[in-house]
């Protein structure tokens, strides 16, 4: 029986390999210049957990991938300083470091790079879940009607949905043919960082430090019905208390250096490293820098488990007692 295992992928190994792929398999000869991350506990399956697939992609200057749509929800976390773009139902989202760009199920989207340097990002999809449900389909023929329709202008998402607690009454609150996803497609890294830093003086959570959740601006729900996204800041030298959940979480280090102890084993991370925390394993985070913050982005299948009635969360107090945490 195969079971997801904790694992960490080092950016120092990922980046050179991506540049090699870009040289030997240019976009004009292949649909994607990327590789999938595989969990060693899953016997070679194309997934990191049974609900999450992760790829790391590179787009060279001048690349322009065909517009397409599919049933899995997907996102892009930008790991390069700048460059590249994603279009979502005609809206152009310019990519900068730390940005989270969503392509919800049923939205027409494409990717490219009009800048002078390559761009690299992390793709996350709920593909394995949709595969188990026999609900995978992909369309590559962009309808003439959709292509000729009035496309949302640049920064449409931020202009309409980017002001907390304020949503225009005249704006459609659903994008694409899917349902239940956030209509805000572009969460910008500069805004994410500022929000975290502005909260750094608060007490925060002993289990997460300073953590924010990315939400649907219309109803406050997770951005997808299947996956939730968050960012957390660990202050200089901060160490969290142990906790565990029935959900699995994928992490990417956006800034800083530290380690996460998972089931008693230490996984050291630094900029752009990616690691997976399978469900129901005890973990705690440590920021190893005594003079700088560390920032982690997380992706979790908690929204799915909450809908199924199977989400649980526990922590350990400073005295070592196990306590039930708010769901």
């Amino acid at each position: 029986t195969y079971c997801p295992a904790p694992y960490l992928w080092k950016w120092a190994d990922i980046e050179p390999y991506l540049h090699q792929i870009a040289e030997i398999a240019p976009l004009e000869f292949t649909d994607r210049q990327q590789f999938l991350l595989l969990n060693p506990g899953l016997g070679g399956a194309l997934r990191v957990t049974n609900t999450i697939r992760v790829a790391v992609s590179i787009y060279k200057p001048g690349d322009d991938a065909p517009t397409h749509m599919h049933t899995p929800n997907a996102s892009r976390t930008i790991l390069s300083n700048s460059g590249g773009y994603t279009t979502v139902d005609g809206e152009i989202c310019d990519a900068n470091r730390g940005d989270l760009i969503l392509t919800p199920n049923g939205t027409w989207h494409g990717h490219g790079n009009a800048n002078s340097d390559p761009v690299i990002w992390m793709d996350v999809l709920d593909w394995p879940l949709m595969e188990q449900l026999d609900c995978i389909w992909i369309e590559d023929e962009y309808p003439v009607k959709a292509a000729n329709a009035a496309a949302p202008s640049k920064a449409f998402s931020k202009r309409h949905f980017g002001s907390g607690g304020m949503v225009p009454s005249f704006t459609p609150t659903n994008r694409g043919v899917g349902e239940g996803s956030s209509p805000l497609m572009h969460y910008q890294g500069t805004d994410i960082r500022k929000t975290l830093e502005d909260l750094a003086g608060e007490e925060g959570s002993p289990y997460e430090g300073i953590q924010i959740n990315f939400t649907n601006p219309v109803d406050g729900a997770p951005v997808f019905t299947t996956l939730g996204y968050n960012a957390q800041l660990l202050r200089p030298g901060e160490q969290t208390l142990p906790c565990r959940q029935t959900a699995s979480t994928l992490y990417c280090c956006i800034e800083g250096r530290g380690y996460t102890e998972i089931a008693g084993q230490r996984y050291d991370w630094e900029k752009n490293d990616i690691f997976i925390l399978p469900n129901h394993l005890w973990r705690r985070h440590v920021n190893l820098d005594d003079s700088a913050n560390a920032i982690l982005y997380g992706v979790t299948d908690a929204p799915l488990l909450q809908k199924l009635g199977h989400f649980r969360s526990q922590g350990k107090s400073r005295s070592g007692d196990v306590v039930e945490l708010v769901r």
Side-chain angles (χ1 to χ4, degrees):
T1 301
Y2 295 115
C3 181
Y7 196 76
L8 184 144
W9 295 269
K10 297 296 293 183
W11 177 246
D13 298 326
I14 291 173
E15 186 181 23
Y17 188 43
L18 272 174
H19 288 289
Q20 291 178 35
I21 289 176
E23 291 304 317
I24 65 176
L27 193 66
E28 55 265 30
F29 298 118
T30 182
D31 287 338
R32 294 288 181 273
Q33 298 168 118
Q34 64 179 201
F35 61 83
L36 298 174
L37 303 185
L38 305 185
N39 189 310
L42 291 174
L46 304 181
R47 60 192 66 173
V48 296
T49 74
N50 288 318
T51 54
I52 299 174
R53 172 181 286 187
V54 180
V56 187
S57 301
I58 185 170
Y59 288 86
K60 302 192 307 299
D63 283 347
D64 185 16
T67 300
H68 60 285
M69 71 183 296
H70 45 63
T71 47
N73 291 302
S75 67
R76 276 81 210 173
T77 300
I78 313 306
L79 302 180
S80 298
N81 288 332
S82 63
Y85 60 85
T86 288
T87 60
V88 192
D89 280 343
E91 178 183 358
I92 300 173
C93 301
D94 290 325
N96 292 285
R97 178 162 180 77
D99 287 4
L100 173 67
I101 301 175
L102 306 180
T103 55
N105 76 89
T107 55
W108 287 98
H109 57 279
H111 315 290
N113 186 358
N115 288 43
S116 57
D117 296 312
V119 62
I120 297 174
W121 58 59
M122 177 179 71
D123 304 270
V124 179
L125 305 91
D126 58 8
W127 189 290
L129 173 65
M130 294 296 103
E131 197 169 43
Q132 287 291 326
L133 296 174
D134 196 21
C135 192
I136 296 288
W137 52 258
I138 303 172
E139 292 188 20
D140 294 312
E141 297 183 7
Y142 197 19
V144 174
K145 181 179 179 181
N148 292 336
S153 58
K154 186 174 290 189
F156 175 90
S157 285
K158 186 169 186 177
R159 191 168 60 254
H160 284 247
F161 300 104
S163 299
M166 295 177 283
V167 176
S169 60
F170 55 84
T171 302
T173 56
N174 201 63
R175 307 280 293 273
V177 298
E179 295 185 3
S181 298
S182 172
L184 176 58
M185 303 298 175
H186 194 179
Y187 299 73
Q188 294 180 311
T190 52
D191 295 337
I192 297 168
R193 176 190 295 272
K194 183 179 186 305
T195 301
L196 288 169
E197 291 176 345
D198 286 349
L199 291 168
E202 304 290 338
E203 182 178 356
S205 163
Y207 303 101
E208 305 291 358
I210 300 297
Q211 186 180 67
I212 57 174
N213 295 320
F214 302 123
T215 61
N216 184 323
V218 176
D219 57 12
V223 297
F224 295 142
T225 56
T226 53
L227 297 175
Y229 290 73
N230 58 63
Q232 63 191 116
L233 181 147
L234 301 172
R235 290 157 288 201
E238 185 167 14
Q239 301 184 28
T240 65
L241 292 177
C243 72
R244 66 178 180 182
Q245 298 178 343
T246 50
S248 299
T249 305
L250 174 80
Y251 291 96
C252 180
C253 175
I254 298 298
E255 181 177 300
R257 62 184 182 89
Y259 69 88
T260 297
E261 185 181 282
I262 304 175
Q265 185 171 347
R266 175 169 163 163
Y267 296 83
D268 285 84
W269 40 258
E270 55 189 351
K271 179 181 175 180
N272 289 355
D273 287 352
I274 301 166
F275 61 101
I276 188 69
L277 167 68
N279 64 320
H280 222 238
L281 295 180
W282 289 104
R283 65 102 175 111
R284 68 185 187 99
H285 303 301
V286 177
N287 180 357
L288 286 173
D289 197 323
D290 291 328
S291 60
N293 296 323
I295 296 177
L296 298 174
Y297 282 12
V299 186
T300 171
D301 55 14
L304 172 66
L305 294 178
Q306 287 167 339
K307 290 177 177 62
L308 296 174
H310 285 283
F311 180 76
R312 301 288 185 275
S313 182
Q314 293 179 314
K316 289 184 180 179
S317 66
R318 298 192 185 281
S319 61
D321 297 326
V322 176
V323 295
E324 299 295 325
L325 301 181
V326 177
R327 298 176 186 175

